[in-house]
Amino acid sequence: MLRPEFTVVKTIALANGVRLEVAEKGPREGIPVVMLHGVTDSRRSFEPVWNHLPADWHAIAVSQRGHGASDQRPTGYGTRDFAGDIALLAEALDLAPMVVLGHSMGSSVALQLAADRPDLVRAVVGVGAFARYGDKPELRAFRDGDLEALRDPIPDAIAREFQLSTLASPIGAALLEGFVRESRKVPARIWRAAFDGLLADTFCAGIPTLQVPVLLVWGSADAYARRGDQDLLRSALPRAQLLIYVQAGHALHWEQPLRFANDVADFVATLGRSGPARTARLFA
């Protein structure tokens, strides 16, 4: 869990009026690494890896709008809305150029941000990344079925089933309970709005022109983002590499946090140097 002696949790008011909850640690002069969670998660999604991150990073874990303790606006839950918030956060905290690490929905936000504001982004790490959402009938069925009927307060069983579906291996009971609580904090209307934003399928519009280094980290047992998504992203992103975790699920950073932190640290360490990343598990 987050260690309070090294971590500051605070709320940042953006220029657009949105207030975002962030956890921050590390030296201000360190390389900024901004971490963006998946749908219905929060900054706490990165607690399993937090204490494994390099001490010289300026690490920032964000609860995106509608999630965690951040503002729950009535509208504005498309990928570009989320990306716009992170651009303003980068300006408010003087983070550019930053590494943006996203999980699931967060990876889409990271890629959209890099396409829209290349001046702010040094590199992207996408975990369980999607190339498209609208071509996945199971996501549409979930939105039009379970989510359409969803009411507040969010039932424990719905949030628990959703979080368990992201795993291929068990995690600690306390961690799981924490992630379920974070999902239950998100109102039903925002569950629907966030899925609607993803299913609108517009976030890839700028990706073919994206020139920053990209590390795609994918679990071969991912029940949501498929291998075809990784291959499509690699074909569209000229500087993308794919790192595969065999038999890991969609939330692989929960299942293998130390390995994940080390692999991302390896990737970040290569930035600004020529040649391939150091880890032998990267496949060009």
Side-chain angles (χ1 to χ4, degrees):
M1 304 302 250
L2 298 183
R3 291 184 294 186
E5 65 270 30
F6 295 127
T7 300
V8 175
V9 178
K10 58 188 177 182
T11 300
I12 305 294
L14 305 180
N16 62 1
V18 173
R19 295 172 61 84
L20 296 183
E21 176 194 38
V22 303
E24 186 176 18
K25 72 169 184 175
R28 286 300 184 111
E29 66 275 12
I31 183 169
V33 180
V34 174
M35 290 168 274
L36 307 176
H37 58 80
V39 64
T40 82
D41 291 324
S42 72
R43 63 172 178 84
R44 292 184 177 274
S45 177
F46 297 100
E47 287 188 346
V49 303
W50 191 254
N51 289 331
H52 300 306
L53 301 176
D56 59 350
W57 283 8
H58 180 194
I60 303 101
V62 183
S63 292
Q64 299 183 82
R65 64 164 67 192
H67 297 73
S70 293
D71 278 356
Q72 296 179 343
R73 295 294 178 99
T75 60
Y77 293 96
T79 307
R80 274 205 160 94
D81 298 307
F82 290 122
D85 287 344
I86 304 308
L88 293 176
L89 180 69
E91 293 169 352
L93 297 181
D94 192 23
L95 300 177
M98 59 188 175
V99 176
V100 188
L101 186 163
H103 170 235
S104 192
M105 178 187 79
S107 66
S108 303
V109 175
L111 291 168
Q112 188 67 62
L113 177 63
D116 291 345
R117 293 292 306 273
D119 57 309
L120 298 178
V121 179
R122 184 174 182 181
V124 170
V125 179
V127 184
F130 291 83
R132 291 280 187 266
Y133 293 89
D135 63 350
K136 296 179 174 57
E138 66 276 11
L139 293 181
R140 172 58 68 184
F142 179 62
R143 164 60 185 90
D144 293 343
D146 292 353
L147 294 192
E148 188 61 32
L150 193 61
R151 297 292 181 268
D152 297 321
I154 304 299
D156 180 272
I158 293 290
R160 187 174 304 276
E161 181 180 1
F162 182 64
Q163 294 293 13
L164 285 172
S165 71
T166 69
L167 298 169
S169 300
I171 62 173
L175 274 178
L176 178 61
E177 293 304 317
F179 299 144
V180 170
R181 284 195 300 272
E182 293 303 294
S183 280
R184 295 191 70 200
K185 287 181 184 178
V186 180
R189 64 178 178 82
I190 295 178
W191 280 66
R192 287 188 284 271
F195 271 86
D196 286 343
L198 296 174
L199 289 165
D201 220 19
T202 60
F203 84 94
C204 269
I207 286 179
T209 60
L210 197 62
Q211 295 298 322
V212 299
V214 176
L215 175 63
L216 301 170
V217 190
W218 177 71
S220 66
D222 192 326
Y224 290 100
R226 304 308 173 99
R227 175 60 188 262
D229 286 276
Q230 314 313 305
D231 293 339
L232 180 55
L233 286 168
R234 289 171 67 204
S235 70
L237 301 169
R239 300 181 65 188
Q241 303 171 86
L242 175 62
L243 174 56
I244 299 174
Y245 283 33
V246 176
Q247 293 305 309
H250 190 57
L252 59 85
H253 61 307
W254 298 351
E255 296 178 28
Q256 300 186 45
L258 177 58
R259 176 186 173 186
F260 175 76
N262 288 339
D263 285 335
V264 175
D266 265 353
F267 172 70
V268 171
T270 68
L271 300 177
R273 297 207 310 264
S274 60
R278 289 199 303 269
T279 176
R281 294 185 297 278
L282 288 172
F283 300 89

